[in-house]
């Protein structure tokens, strides 16, 4: 081979490094949004990556050139990820840096094991020697150390970090400090890795041990910071979504209360007008008059529990129940839930009744029943909501999931209910008994 492509260990390690990097990247990108014809794109990307690694010249073996060479291969894999996944470059950079850090940790661990166990005099089997074959492929102990160390490290990184990436989630790094940190980590991973191998000829066991341990520690810290940032973004997004929903619920509550009061006022006037017309006209059929009054009374069926917010949400949902032939009943002690804000009462019972109506509406007429009881029990206030349902429920923690296609059944609504109740120090207990679904809520009042 020419001087540009000398057949030495570095010549072959480029291919091995590319394989390590591609496997590491897979740990973090497998849940990202794929482009059309993904399998074909992925196959082409892998082949092109190996071709690029093979084509990179080995003109120098100093630390600076090796750093440039490995950085070039890493940058090329980012381009191939863009070919395969329909994600922003920031998202791919996030995953790529995590993958490169994982590969670097694996390599450092491979060296560190040799030093700790004093294998071969504590000297790691170099992959940059002058031989024409990777030396650790000649040594069974070295091969076992290599494959075992990489497999365990990759599995651990998948469990600790890779699984935190959710399908369809945006994981872009939007803060400038985080971008700067990513760049620094990338440079540290590449340059210090090359510095370690550059000292292979002048071996200093003490120096190599602490430099390797430092690199592993820095890599783990940076992965932790990266994915902690991801978790903070996720929690912030959920909090913002909840705040938006709360504002919408408050606006809807105000609008519903005004509409219900207006409807009841108009219906009350219409009843008087119908009776006046009936008294003045002997030709009107009493049966028709009765039907007209019954039709209007549907909108005049206002709940009176002593809590205006509860009355509003019950009356609003009762209109939906009447439309679907559902019987909604509520028995509430006087003065219940007075410690809760109107918006929280509207949110709590709105979500609970929406779930109950969704579950009850498709059932036979005899099973279209929703029953609510709100009672005082000493220093506690208890809310019991029961309705029939049809389908098999399985529980994920304390909340149920359905086996039906509509996986929203008693899902997000109950999560919102739980969050609302927890703000008042209460508890939520969800149970099923054959075909009856029950939500029991307990609030401390002192």
């Amino acid at each position: 081979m020419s001087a540009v492509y000398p057949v030495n260990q570095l010549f072959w390690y480029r291919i091995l490094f590319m394989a390590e990097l591609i496997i590491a990247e897979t740990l973090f990108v497998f849940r990202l949004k794929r482009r059309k014809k993904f399998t074909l794109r992925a196959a082409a990307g892998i082949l092109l990556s190996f071709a690029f690694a093979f084509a990179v010249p080995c003109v120098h073996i100093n630390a600076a050139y090796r750093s440039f060479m490995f950085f070039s291969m890493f940058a090329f894999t980012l381009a191939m990820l863009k070919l395969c996944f329909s994600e922003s470059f920031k998202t791919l950079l996030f995953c790529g840096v995590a993958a490169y850090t994982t590969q670097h940790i694996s390599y450092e661990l491979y060296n560190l094991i040799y030093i700790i166990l004093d294998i071969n005099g504590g000297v790691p089997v170099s992959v940059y020697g002058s031989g024409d074959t990777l030396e650790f492929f000649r040594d069974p102990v070295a091969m076992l150390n290599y494959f075992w160390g990489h497999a365990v490290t990759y599995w651990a990184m998948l469990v600790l970090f890779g699984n935190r990436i959710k399908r369809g989630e945006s994981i872009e790094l939007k803060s400038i400090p985080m971008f700067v940190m990513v760049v620094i980590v990338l440079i540290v991973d590449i340059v210090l890795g090359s510095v370690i191998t550059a000292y292979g000829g002048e071996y200093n066991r003490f120096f190599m041990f602490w430099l390797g341990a430092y690199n592993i520690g820095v890599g783990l810290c940076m992965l932790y910071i990266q994915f902690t940032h991801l978790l903070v973004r996720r929690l912030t997004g959920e909090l913002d979504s909840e705040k938006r929903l709360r504002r919408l619920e408050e606006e809807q509550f105000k609008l519903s209360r005004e509409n219900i009061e207006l409807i009841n006022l108009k219906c009350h006037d219409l009843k008087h007008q119908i009776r006046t017309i009936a008294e003045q006209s002997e030709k009107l059929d009493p049966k028709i008059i009765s039907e007209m009054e019954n039709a209007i009374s549907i909108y005049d069926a206002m709940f009176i529990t002593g809590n205006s917010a509860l009355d509003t949400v019950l009356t609003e949902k009762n209109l939906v129940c009447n439309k679907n032939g559902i019987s909604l009943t509520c028995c509430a002690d006087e003065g219940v839930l007075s410690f809760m804000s109107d918006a929280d009462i509207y949110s709590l019972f709105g979500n609970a009744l929406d779930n109950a109506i969704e579950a009850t509406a498709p059932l036979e007429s005899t099973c279209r029943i929703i029953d609510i009881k709100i009672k005082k029990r000493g220093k506690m206030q208890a809310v019991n909501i029961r309705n029939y349902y049809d389908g098999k429920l399985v529980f994920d923690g304390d909340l149920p999931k359905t086996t039906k296609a509509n996986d929203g059944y008693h899902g997000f609504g109950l999560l919102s209910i739980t969050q609302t109740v927890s703000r008042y120090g209460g508890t939520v207990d969800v149970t099923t008994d054959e075909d009856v679904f029950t939500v029991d809520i307990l609030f401390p009042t002192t």
Side-chain angles (χ1 to χ4, degrees):
M1 297 290 285
S2 66
V4 177
Y5 295 101
V7 180
N8 55 23
Q9 294 190 55
L10 181 59
F11 178 87
W12 295 112
Y13 183 69
R14 298 171 305 166
I15 310 301
L16 184 61
F17 170 81
M18 182 60 75
E20 294 170 355
L21 187 57
I22 290 174
I23 295 172
E25 288 174 343
T26 303
L27 304 178
F28 299 96
V29 302
F30 69 96
R31 288 195 178 99
L32 300 184
K33 185 179 179 181
R34 300 174 179 181
R35 295 185 184 274
K36 294 180 180 179
K37 299 182 180 180
F38 172 78
T39 303
L40 181 61
R41 289 173 178 267
I46 292 172
L47 290 175
L48 288 173
S49 295
F50 280 114
F52 181 83
F54 193 83
V56 173
C58 304
V59 294
H60 297 287
I61 61 172
N62 58 57
Y65 182 76
R66 284 199 301 267
S67 298
F68 170 77
M69 183 178 65
F70 290 131
F71 180 80
S72 298
M73 287 190 281
F74 170 69
F76 189 85
T77 62
L78 290 181
M80 294 302 98
L81 289 177
K82 189 65 177 176
L83 173 70
C84 298
F85 295 94
S86 181
E87 299 283 355
S88 69
F89 179 75
K90 292 179 182 180
T91 295
L92 298 177
L93 178 61
F94 181 100
C95 295
V97 169
Y100 196 104
T101 306
T102 296
Q103 184 277 335
H104 190 66
I105 290 173
S106 299
Y107 177 77
E108 297 296 343
L109 182 63
Y110 159 76
N111 284 332
L112 211 57
I113 290 174
Y114 266 84
I115 298 173
I116 294 173
L117 299 182
D118 199 29
I119 300 174
N120 192 29
V123 181
V125 180
S126 173
V127 297
Y128 296 110
S130 59
D132 59 1
T133 305
L134 291 175
E135 290 183 8
F136 63 76
F137 284 139
R138 299 176 181 177
D139 185 336
V141 176
M143 289 181 63
L144 180 62
N145 177 27
Y146 172 81
F147 288 110
W148 174 85
H150 279 71
V152 170
T153 303
Y154 279 30
W155 174 81
M157 296 303 102
L158 173 64
V159 172
L160 294 175
F161 302 108
N163 284 333
R164 296 188 185 185
I165 298 176
K166 295 183 178 180
R167 195 175 301 277
E169 179 182 29
S170 173
I171 55 175
E172 296 181 358
L173 300 176
K174 295 185 176 180
S175 66
I176 294 178
M178 185 59 67
F179 261 123
V180 173
M181 186 174 295
V182 166
V183 173
I184 291 175
V185 171
L186 190 59
I187 293 174
V188 167
D189 276 350
I190 295 174
V191 175
L192 286 186
S194 297
V195 168
I196 288 177
T197 56
Y199 280 88
E202 303 174 7
Y203 182 73
N204 182 316
R205 185 178 180 186
F206 179 81
F207 169 79
M208 295 293 283
F209 173 83
W210 285 110
L211 187 56
Y214 170 79
N215 269 326
I216 292 174
V218 168
L220 291 173
C221 287
M222 298 328 308
L223 284 173
Y224 176 79
I225 291 172
Q226 270 189 267
F227 285 88
T228 298
H229 171 79
L230 178 62
L231 177 61
V232 169
R233 279 202 58 208
R234 182 181 300 156
L235 295 176
T236 301
E238 291 177 357
L239 180 61
D240 290 341
S241 296
E242 184 179 353
K243 286 180 178 178
R244 286 195 297 269
L245 288 174
R246 300 293 294 177
R247 285 196 297 269
L248 290 174
E249 286 174 342
E250 290 178 8
E251 294 173 1
Q252 185 178 353
F253 165 67
K254 294 176 182 177
L255 182 61
S256 296
R257 181 161 57 183
E258 293 173 358
N259 289 341
I260 288 171
E261 290 175 353
L262 180 61
I263 288 173
N264 277 280
L265 179 62
K266 295 298 183 182
C267 288
H268 184 73
D269 292 340
L270 282 173
K271 279 187 175 182
H272 285 289
Q273 293 175 13
I274 289 173
R275 292 194 187 99
T276 301
I277 294 173
E279 291 172 357
Q280 294 177 355
S281 177
E282 298 178 356
K283 296 181 179 181
L284 286 177
D285 188 343
K287 184 178 180 181
I288 295 177
I289 297 296
S290 178
E291 290 177 354
M292 292 172 64
E293 289 181 340
N294 289 335
I296 293 174
S297 66
I298 291 177
Y299 298 95
D300 196 25
M302 188 168 184
F303 281 83
I304 301 176
T305 65
N307 186 301
S308 60
L310 182 60
D311 293 343
T312 297
V313 68
L314 290 176
T315 301
E316 178 187 355
K317 299 305 177 183
N318 192 40
L319 298 178
V320 181
C321 288
N322 282 320
K323 180 181 178 181
N324 290 277
I326 300 172
S327 173
L328 173 62
T329 60
C330 177
C331 179
D333 289 345
E334 184 178 357
V336 292
L337 307 180
S338 59
F339 58 90
M340 294 182 67
S341 70
D342 289 350
D344 283 339
I345 291 175
Y346 185 84
S347 175
L348 172 63
F349 287 91
N351 280 299
L353 287 172
D354 283 341
N355 282 339
I357 291 170
E358 181 183 352
T360 308
L363 304 181
E364 297 179 358
S365 58
T366 55
C367 296
R368 295 178 193 165
I369 300 172
I370 301 173
D371 179 66
I372 301 174
K373 291 183 175 62
I374 310 173
K375 301 289 184 181
K376 293 180 179 179
R377 297 178 182 174
K379 295 183 178 180
M380 307 290 289
Q381 291 193 20
V383 178
N384 175 269
I385 304 172
R386 303 171 72 239
N387 64 270
Y388 288 101
Y389 77 99
D390 181 24
K392 183 180 179 181
L393 291 176
V394 292
F395 283 76
D396 179 12
D398 295 328
L399 301 181
K401 288 186 175 181
T402 183
T403 55
K404 292 183 177 181
N406 180 13
D407 60 3
Y409 177 84
H410 285 102
F412 179 79
L414 276 177
L415 180 60
S416 178
I417 290 170
T418 302
Q419 292 174 345
T420 301
V421 172
S422 65
R423 282 197 289 272
Y424 294 90
T427 60
V428 179
D429 184 31
V430 178
T431 58
T432 58
D433 182 11
E434 294 183 352
D435 55 354
V436 177
F437 188 94
T438 304
V439 178
D440 285 305
I441 302 171
L442 276 177
F443 289 107
T445 55
T446 57

